Amino acid sequence: MKILILGADGYLGWPTVMYFSKKGYEVYAVDNLSKRKIETEYGVEPINILKPFNERVNIWNKNQKNQIKYLVADLLNYKVLCEILEEFRPDTIIHYAEQPSAPYSMASREKAVFTQHNNVIGNLNLLFAMKKFCPNSHLIKLGTMGEYGTPNIDIEEGWLELEHKGRKDRVLFPKKPGSFYHLSKVHDSANIEFACRIWGLKCTDLNQGFVYGISTEEMELDYENLSTAFHYDSIFGTIINRFITQIACNKDMTVYGKGDQKRSYLNISDTIKCVSIACENPPKNGEFRVFNQFTEFCSLNEIAKKIKNYADKNKIRSNVTHIENPRIEDEDHYYNPTNTSLISLGLKPIIMDDNQIDKIFKLVKKNQNRINLNTLDPNIKWKK
Ligand code: USQ
């Protein structure tokens, strides 16, 4: 099996690359390194010292029989993208190569335009290149649970059976996302569904909750050299990783607003397992399949409480503070998303328990001298 991984330098991309290489797949890893540019612009850095993309691949290749091929390339460069697909002809394409930060996309007109241009046009280029060179490849695209927002009805997996004035149809689930970043993924989903319907491409759109965690099995082989970027800052850090970092440096956990916002989430190792399950169970040609990729959901207050319980048991100081919400989002709402597809295909979820929190806490503590406290508080507002 040949697998092309786009966005291979990222938090999720890099562990995915190692996982499939270890499994014996022929892996081609591509990234444009644009996240590193945004990091420099905002003065934020992962907590761990990260080897450059090429060095990490070379270290991996030195110790493994199955060699990873890599390239620094941008999906906005259609010519190069075509060359990659024409030469490699992948069976599966995993597409993570998008600007992933909601706050970044809300910072200014320029950042919103950059996010949507980068994400939507990159994805559109990929669809055209697939149609031309590998129409039978399976596209696994990373979407987000944030595409749905928080509707007052149960969230289905991508599609909704609708009855209207006595007639029935199956339509894409209505979307009400909360940032220009989340909107870019909605546009991607619509473009991909169209490409499946009109050209017969096949795709799994993974509507993923936010991810927490610091390591996967492959990273644990040599954490110093093979770790992935762990962000705790207010631009790229996701809430569980941020809360654990906050308690590790004796800071309050910052819940935005009331904290009754409900969100879905999963462990980084489960992300890899879900992608693997999607890869091994492809849809048929012409099918646009959506999986809601999360293992648990609850309110932000409940997340903070779990971390506080862990801290209390381990005699670590912790406190929760409610700060003015920099975002515009419902802070108390109905939330009932479905996630049966991946479970029915064999996913055995990792639960966010004391053990998982402890793993993150210990690695954060080890790197505590690298934490820049100035990057913890949110500095981008949805409405100025
Ligand atoms: N939040 C806090 N305190 C903080 C940081 C965040 O209360 O210190 C709140 C936010 O207001 C939001 C929730 O926590 O209600 C989640 O925020 P987040 O920053 O962890 O996640 P989000 O911005 O939604 O984006 C992240 C990833 C994105 C992915 C998405 C999945 O950055 O790439 O698509 O999670 S989902 O959350 O399902 O939309």
Side-chain angles (χ1 to χ4, degrees):
M1 270 277 252
K2 290 202 272 185
I3 196 155
L4 174 67
I5 300 175
L6 306 168
D9 186 42
Y11 176 51
L12 304 176
W14 174 241
T16 307
V17 165
M18 292 190 287
Y19 172 86
F20 280 102
S21 166
K22 196 105 210 292
K23 264 199 130 181
Y25 284 69
E26 192 179 335
V27 178
Y28 194 165
V30 175
D31 202 290
N32 71 354
L33 310 184
S34 65
K35 191 170 170 193
R36 295 191 185 231
K37 285 188 206 118
I38 301 176
E39 286 171 10
T40 312
E41 187 185 346
Y42 276 88
V44 301
E45 265 188 317
I47 200 167
N48 41 344
I49 299 174
L50 212 63
K51 292 262 183 299
F53 179 44
N54 58 335
E55 271 184 45
R56 262 185 293 157
V57 174
N58 290 335
I59 291 167
W60 177 264
N61 283 346
K62 251 189 225 151
N63 298 308
Q64 300 287 331
K65 268 194 274 151
N66 190 19
Q67 300 287 290
I68 297 168
K69 190 177 156 130
Y70 73 92
L71 186 73
V72 173
D74 197 328
L75 301 195
L76 295 180
N77 187 336
Y78 184 61
K79 190 168 168 282
V80 172
L81 182 59
C82 287
E83 283 165 11
I84 295 170
L85 263 55
E86 185 174 21
E87 177 212 324
F88 190 59
R89 308 259 173 192
D91 299 296
T92 305
I93 301 172
I94 302 180
H95 176 20
Y96 295 116
E98 300 206 333
Q99 192 297 97
S101 162
Y104 180 84
S105 77
M106 296 301 290
S108 65
R109 185 196 68 84
E110 286 76 14
K111 308 291 194 237
V113 170
F114 170 83
T115 301
Q116 294 215 349
H117 184 253
N118 181 74
N119 295 4
V120 179
I121 307 302
N123 183 63
L124 197 54
N125 280 345
L126 178 62
L127 294 173
F128 271 91
M130 282 180 70
K131 170 176 165 263
K132 198 163 173 192
F133 297 107
C134 50
N136 293 313
S137 295
H138 173 201
L139 172 62
I140 299 178
K141 163 70 169 53
L142 196 79
T144 167
M145 283 301 289
E147 290 185 36
Y148 302 113
T150 52
N152 203 28
I153 55 172
D154 290 357
I155 297 174
E156 305 302 330
E157 299 199 69
W159 293 90
L160 184 67
E161 300 285 342
L162 194 71
E163 190 171 343
H164 181 63
K165 295 186 178 169
R167 300 186 66 82
K168 287 187 182 166
D169 205 350
R170 180 175 180 258
V171 297
L172 287 177
F173 195 93
K175 307 280 176 76
K176 216 200 233 180
S179 75
F180 286 119
Y181 153 73
H182 289 99
L183 262 161
S184 73
K185 300 261 183 183
V186 174
H187 303 324
D188 287 342
S189 297
N191 284 340
I192 298 170
E193 187 276 333
F194 182 78
C196 292
R197 181 160 41 94
I198 304 301
W199 299 334
L201 300 186
K202 54 171 172 269
C203 172
T204 307
D205 199 4
L206 297 173
N207 284 353
Q208 184 169 251
F210 67 76
V211 181
Y212 71 92
I214 202 159
S215 70
T216 62
E217 230 176 275
E218 288 71 33
M219 274 182 243
E220 281 157 19
L221 297 173
D222 176 5
Y223 195 76
E224 288 287 294
N225 288 311
L226 300 175
S227 63
T228 195
F230 178 94
H231 275 275
Y232 58 88
D233 56 80
S234 63
I235 305 283
F236 290 119
T238 49
I239 184 167
I240 294 177
N241 291 350
R242 278 170 57 71
F243 281 179
I244 297 173
T245 306
Q246 285 169 332
I247 63 161
C249 30
N250 203 15
K251 290 272 173 194
D252 289 357
M253 290 183 267
T254 52
V255 171
Y256 297 170
K258 265 173 81 176
D260 288 325
Q261 300 93 306
K262 292 178 196 72
R263 293 289 181 273
S264 40
Y265 54 94
L266 76 167
N267 186 280
I268 187 168
S269 294
D270 276 348
T271 290
I272 313 302
K273 277 190 242 152
C274 290
V275 169
S276 175
I277 288 171
C279 176
E280 278 155 21
N281 299 278
K284 49 185 191 305
N285 283 355
E287 190 182 349
F288 173 70
R289 179 176 71 172
V290 183
F291 289 163
N292 289 347
Q293 182 163 305
F294 66 90
T295 54
E296 295 176 85
F297 70 89
C298 66
S299 72
L300 308 182
N301 287 329
E302 286 167 297
I303 290 175
K305 202 169 147 203
K306 274 191 191 187
I307 298 172
K308 187 162 181 19
N309 281 342
Y310 158 84
D312 290 349
K313 278 188 231 161
N314 291 282
K315 304 200 172 19
I316 299 160
R317 182 205 163 265
S318 73
N319 190 41
V320 178
T321 180
H322 291 260
I323 62 171
E324 188 192 336
N325 197 336
R327 307 183 181 198
I328 307 290
E329 57 188 5
D330 290 338
E331 292 180 6
D332 192 4
H333 55 86
Y334 180 78
Y335 193 64
N336 190 26
T338 312
N339 66 340
T340 46
S341 297
L342 284 157
I343 306 277
S344 67
L345 288 170
L347 177 69
K348 304 262 180 303
I350 295 171
I351 300 302
M352 207 245 320
D353 56 13
D354 285 354
N355 194 20
Q356 294 302 327
I357 299 172
D358 192 55
K359 228 164 138 178
I360 303 173
F361 183 83
K362 288 203 171 114
L363 273 161
V364 169
K365 267 286 182 205
K366 222 172 130 188
N367 290 288
Q368 196 175 348
N369 61 340
R370 284 181 47 83
I371 297 174
N372 179 351
L373 297 178
N374 296 327
T375 65
L376 274 173
D377 290 337
N379 53 4
I380 294 168
K381 288 193 169 162
W382 264 225
K383 207 169 163 186
K384 291 193 184 78

